[in-house]
Amino acid sequence: MAYKISDECISCGACASGCPVDAISEGDGKYVIDADTCIECGACADTCPVGAPSAD
Ligand code: SF4
Ligand code: SF4
């Protein structure tokens, strides 16, 4: 399963620049991960200051 970003996201954008496959984009009120593109590397979870991304 791809990673998902919870409502804890504060839209800082740090995860998007660190994603190796550009799967993360700014959405409505939070950032979102494209499930078909995500390779489950976990970098976004390691980068996020509020722990919003998680493996689902
Ligand atoms: Fe990108 Fe890796 Fe996060 Fe998937 S787990 S969205 S590939 S940084
Ligand atoms: Fe949201 Fe965390 Fe990504 Fe920042 S790093 S945009 S808080 S998911």
Side-chain angles (χ1 to χ4, degrees), residues 14-37:
C15 57
S17 54
C19 178
V21 293
D22 272 339
I24 309 174
S25 59
E26 187 168 10
D28 189 16
K30 65 173 188 173
Y31 273 59
V32 292
I33 293 171
D34 181 70
D36 293 331
T37 307

Side-chain angles (χ1 to χ4, degrees), residues 5 9-15 31 48-50 52-53:
I5 294 174
C9 174
I10 55 171
S11 294
C12 71
C15 57
Y31 273 59
C48 181
V50 297

